[in-house]
Amino acid sequence: MQSEYRQRRQAVLEAIGGGTAIFCSAPTAVMHNDVDHLFRQDSDFFYLTGFNEPNAVAVLSPWHDEHQFVLFVRPKDFDKETWSGTRTGIEAAKERYGADEAYSINDLGKKLTQYVEKADRLYYHFGHNSEFNGRIIRLWQQLLAKMTKQGTGPVAIEDSKLLMQQFRRVKSPFELEKIRRAIAISVEAHNVAREMAQPGVYEYEIQAAIENVFRRSGAMGPAYPSIVATGENACILHYVENNQQLAEGDLLLIDAGCAYDYYNADITRTLPVGNRLSEEQKILYDLVLQAQLAAIEQVQPGKPFNAFHDAATRTITAGLVELGLLVGEVDQLIEEKKHKAFFMHGTGHFLGLDVHDTGILRNMDKSWKPFAPNNIVTVEPGIYISPRYKPAEGQPAVEDRWKGIGIRIEDDVLVTETSNEVLTSAVPKTLNLPVLVH
Ligand code: GLY
Ligand code: MN
Ligand code: MN
């Protein structure tokens, strides 16, 4: 386990050469009325350290004679640990987390300078912690002021997120194992949910069953707020109320995945409630499935990142034209983004320590970066025809029989050396139902 984090640090140490990278932990859990909310470590910080406490700073300084990896942590404190749980403390930070040196976070002001004053550049992400941001700027200003006499010092601050994404977008076997586990648990949850999709059941009952599977399987919990959306609720992309009753003839959209040891799954299925399916539901479902399969086909090593979204967009737009829901020439409709009336989100995102995982998608010249082996991406096209749908100028009104249908199908796809592997294929996505028009 430690060797995994050591290897990750090694890669970053090599990349930054004469620079120093500073990573700040996520802020302490938010407190509302004296009630703690769960702490979740910053993903870059966790990726490099595996250290899961707030009020910590990690420093990587490859050029330093003795200390290439330094941790600043909360010191042991009997009283505070009684209230908020044990702290690793300074000594164990070295032993357990492999730091060459560790200090109390209270000594940051005194001890940090030695790890940055001879660096030629700093790597730091100006995130939400404005107090710490201010600290880094002040430190940098002090070093710049001394630079004329000393001849050394960091001439620039580079965003550490840019640095980190190149490593995090390629998953190691260790990470892949965690993600496979998160997916296996989420697959089981979806298969439990599928059995429950009957008229009269409440969305929250299904949510509870899903999240029950997550926790009893040792997952940390949902990777994001579970969406259990029946009927027209599925047309609200971030529907989270989950308080309505399923009705015969609804389609039920479930977007749920767990976090397991910090790694995430992200799966969406749309399925019929009871045994009825209208022709419109079936047609649109088949179109989304066709778009999803066409998109998955484009997730290949060397293929540019936009190819899978283009494939999904083209399939959906052409299908909508054939159905008379959009009018015009497919290329032009796409160019004018007319498909966005029904398919308004991207086709997917990287998946890893974050659900929407880090990863720059384009090069400086605007060309798209290619997929590489061991990238993991979600593929999740959808069609949503809201009851509130209003056609854009020049587009036809939509008959009521199409309204209130929301469909998304989302798989997690691994790029392999030669092609891809759909990691979430154990949740069925074929409907296999007779079409009964209501
Ligand atoms: N569940 C979040 C997403 O699909 O991106
Ligand atoms: Mn999702
Ligand atoms: Mn997703």
Side-chain angles (χ1 to χ4, degrees), residues 224 227 255-256 266-268 349 355-356 378 380 408 410:
Y224 50 88
I227 298 172
D255 185 350
D266 185 3
I267 307 176
T268 306
H349 49 84
V355 177
H356 290 190
T378 68
E380 50 178 309
R408 177 165 66 256
E410 176 175 29

Side-chain angles (χ1 to χ4, degrees), residues 167-294:
F167 302 109
R168 282 180 50 194
R169 64 198 279 153
V170 182
K171 271 60 184 178
S172 70
F174 172 93
E175 294 184 287
L176 196 46
E177 203 176 300
K178 299 282 184 199
I179 294 171
R180 282 188 195 276
R181 180 80 189 118
I183 285 173
I185 295 167
S186 307
V187 163
E188 186 192 340
H190 271 265
N191 287 333
V192 165
R194 172 174 295 268
E195 297 299 315
M196 294 176 69
Q198 295 301 325
V201 173
Y202 280 90
E203 293 166 342
Y204 52 68
E205 293 180 80
I206 296 178
Q207 177 187 2
I210 288 170
E211 294 176 8
N212 177 282
V213 174
F214 291 171
R215 283 301 278 159
R216 74 169 151 76
S217 311
M220 297 161 86
Y224 50 88
S226 306
I227 298 172
V228 181
T230 200
E232 66 183 57
N233 297 339
C235 299
I236 299 167
L237 298 180
H238 291 164
Y239 176 77
V240 288
E241 287 80 3
N242 298 349
N243 58 6
Q244 299 297 306
Q245 211 169 9
L246 279 55
E248 180 83 37
D250 281 356
L251 281 180
L252 175 68
L253 185 154
I254 300 175
D255 185 350
C258 73
Y260 180 83
D261 273 3
Y262 270 84
Y263 285 90
N264 299 298
D266 185 3
I267 307 176
T268 306
R269 288 294 184 268
T270 308
L271 43 129
V273 175
N275 296 311
R276 264 180 35 200
L277 191 67
S278 74
E279 199 179 343
E280 291 77 14
Q281 289 170 330
K282 169 110 176 75
I283 288 170
L284 292 179
Y285 187 91
D286 286 344
L287 182 53
V288 174
L289 182 56
Q290 200 192 333
Q292 205 234 7
L293 296 175

Side-chain angles (χ1 to χ4, degrees), residues 34 53 99 195 209 217 250 309 315 329 395 409 420 430 438:
D34 222 20
E53 293 180 27
E195 297 299 315
S217 311
D250 281 356
H309 179 58
T315 307
E329 198 270 317
Q395 291 300 320
I409 306 171
N420 68 51
T430 45
H438 26 179

Side-chain angles (χ1 to χ4, degrees), residues 68-133:
Q68 279 87 49
F69 170 42
V70 178
L71 273 177
F72 291 85
V73 301
R74 300 177 305 178
K76 299 290 285 178
D77 181 320
F78 179 80
D79 284 341
K80 291 202 169 116
E81 288 180 57
T82 302
W83 284 92
S84 315
T86 52
R87 297 174 168 193
T88 299
I90 297 160
E91 274 316 302
K94 285 166 72 172
E95 285 156 29
R96 278 192 237 150
Y97 294 90
D100 300 318
E101 187 56 278
Y103 303 104
S104 163
I105 189 71
N106 303 321
D107 291 335
L108 191 71
K110 277 185 275 177
K111 301 290 187 186
L112 183 59
T113 310
Q114 63 186 299
Y115 298 111
V116 292
E117 62 190 353
K118 295 200 180 110
D120 57 19
R121 165 178 299 251
L122 295 184
Y123 294 85
Y124 175 72
H125 176 65
F126 287 96
H128 297 304
N129 187 338
S130 51
E131 196 230 303
F132 199 76
N133 290 346

